[in-house]
Every structure is written in C-alpha cells, then in structure tokens.
Amino acid sequence: MLLCIDAGNTNSVFAIWDGTSFLGTWRASTEHQRTADQYFVWLSTLMEAQGLTDLEIDEVVISSTVPRVVFNLRVLCNNYFNCRPLVVGKPECVLPVPSRVEAGVTPGPDRLANAAATFDRHGGDAIVVDFGTATNFDVVAHDGAYIGGVISPGVNLSLEALHAGAAALPHVDITQPARVIGANTVACIQSGVYWGYSGLIEGIVARIKVEYGRDMKVIGTGGLAPLFAQGDIRFDSIDDDLTIYGLAVIHRFNKDPA
C-alpha cells in the first residue's frame, strides 16, 4: 500500500492510495520539530479511527516544500514502514515528462506533482490555479511538461499581513460578499480580498493564455478553489486532491516507466 505525503508550507497531507483510489486522507500543520514517532502515533491513530488498521504500508512518496521536515519523514519510513521513500525533486525520482524551465532551476515538487496529475486526469494545455500559502499558477504543456508559471501571495497570507500591518483592521474570514461596496470595515476587507483576488486570477489566467497562444483548460485546486469558483472565475474543473494524486502518478511511473 502506498502512503503519499505532501508537506506544504502551512499544512501536510497524508493519504493512502490503493492503486485506484484514496482510502483515507488526513491533514496536519507542518512542523519541522515533529519527530518520526509523533508522525506514526498521529497517523496510526487516525487510521484506526477509520478502520484501516489492517493496511500494510510498504511504499511512500513525498513532496515537500519545507526541506527541514524531510529528514523525520525519511526516519518514519525507515523505522515504521521499512522502506526508502521516493522524494519528488531528488535526482532518483524520474518525472513522467521532464519539466522545461531554465537550466539549473528546480521547480517546487508540488508544482511537478500538479503537472503530472493534471496531464493524467485532464490532458495538457492547462493552467492549474493552486490556492495554498501562495497562490500558484502552474502551466502544463500539451505533452504534460511543467513549463513555468506564476507565484503570488496567498489569500490567507495577505489577510494576515493586512491584520498585522494595520492595527485598526480586524482579522476576517474569507467569503463572497453580497455587495462590492462594503458598508462596514469587515465587509470592506472581504470585498477587497475576494474581488481583488478574483481580478488577479482572471487577469493572470488571461495573460497566460495570450502568451501561450493556444486554448487552455483552467483547473482549480486547494482549499479556497470552490469559494472563488462561485464568483466570476471560470474553472473547467475543481480538483481537490490534485497534488496528492500527482504523487501517486509519479510513484507509479517510477515503478513502471513503461
């Protein structure tokens, strides 16, 4: 059984893949201090709660944008699953289609996973809008190669910066406001963030399409994708587990490149 781990800047996702579907998916805050033993106790407890105690994990694939957590994840694999994990972005991990970026540049492993998953599920000529700590735009070529993209500050990161930098402004939850013109401070902030990011996303997607010069699908992923899909943004698909599924695709290719 395959354990897929996507360690992001804010949260880490653990998911068990049986070759066809995910049997369980769990999320925890990303903390480099967490030990292998703590990972195992946390994961085994959640697996037991879902009746998955009989599963034998013998393979692991990892994507991490936080290098400091990889060591303890490797120890987890060695001590408890008796395996050496496949780590996306390392030389021993082969991509289904190599990325085409500037020489010497190593794209984030989450972006490589997004490209692999997008091509497998949706085909090429696509833009992935990934709502995470950063809002990433990943461009997937016709053959499935990651060829570059855009990185902008994430929605929640911008909200935290606004709250921290302006003492009089409260921290608010993101929602689609009923009106653009806010009649109170909270409504004004919600409108600025929601419609501001909607405009940012629409504008960047439009510019990518013009520069790319071909019709492109737009795939949304990440926790806030469904919320922004309620506005003016036109996603061809919302794919909640895109990144973690991409890890399963990459692992499958490394086991059987043919």
Side-chain angles (χ1 to χ4, degrees):
M1 202 69 65
L2 174 65
L3 174 63
C4 302
I5 304 174
D6 175 31
N9 290 299
T10 303
N11 293 315
S12 296
V13 178
F14 291 65
I16 296 175
W17 175 256
D18 69 355
T20 304
S21 61
F22 289 108
L23 303 181
T25 302
W26 306 277
R27 187 179 299 267
S29 59
T30 300
E31 297 176 3
H32 70 268
Q33 304 97 328
R34 186 173 283 129
T35 67
D37 299 329
Q38 290 173 318
Y39 277 121
F40 181 74
V41 170
W42 170 80
L43 182 60
S44 59
T45 301
L46 292 173
M47 289 176 62
E48 183 177 358
Q50 288 191 218
L52 300 174
T53 52
D54 293 334
L55 296 181
E56 183 177 341
I57 296 171
D58 55 4
E59 296 179 299
V60 181
V61 58
I62 298 171
S63 162
S64 177
T65 57
V66 186
R68 295 177 70 184
V69 308
V70 175
F71 174 78
N72 283 327
L73 290 174
R74 286 186 181 274
V75 175
L76 169 72
C77 298
N78 181 68
N79 290 357
Y80 291 101
F81 305 133
N82 193 32
C83 70
R84 179 182 175 86
L86 178 69
V87 181
V88 178
K90 298 298 183 182
E92 65 271 17
C93 179
V94 182
L95 299 175
V97 182
S99 61
R100 293 196 292 274
V101 293
E102 287 186 2
V105 172
T106 302
D110 54 335
R111 311 188 84 171
L112 299 175
N114 282 348
T118 298
F119 187 67
D120 190 81
R121 280 183 169 171
H122 307 284
D125 293 332
I127 303 168
V128 179
V129 184
D130 190 347
F131 294 85
T133 304
T135 300
N136 290 335
F137 300 76
D138 304 323
V139 181
V140 184
H142 68 282
D143 60 351
Y146 170 78
I147 60 171
V150 177
I151 300 175
S152 63
V155 177
N156 287 316
L157 191 62
S158 294
L159 266 177
E160 291 170 9
L162 183 65
H163 175 62
L169 298 181
H171 184 80
V172 302
D173 293 327
I174 293 296
T175 187
Q176 181 181 359
R179 296 166 51 86
V180 175
I181 302 173
N184 56 66
T185 302
V186 170
C188 288
I189 296 173
Q190 288 175 331
S191 182
V193 172
Y194 185 87
W195 295 115
Y197 266 87
S198 294
L200 178 147
I201 294 163
E202 287 184 295
I204 290 178
V205 165
R207 287 178 178 273
I208 289 174
K209 288 181 175 180
V210 169
E211 188 171 293
Y212 190 74
R214 300 174 65 169
D215 290 336
M216 305 182 78
K217 298 175 285 290
V218 182
I219 313 300
T221 191
L224 292 176
L227 174 63
F228 280 89
Q230 297 173 11
D232 295 336
I233 302 171
R234 295 292 178 259
F235 292 113
D236 293 286
S237 179
I238 299 293
D239 206 330
D240 292 333
D241 64 353
L242 189 73
T243 307
I244 204 78
Y245 176 69
L247 297 183
V249 172
I250 292 172
H251 181 270
R252 180 182 67 203
F253 180 80
N254 278 264
K255 282 191 65 178
D256 183 15

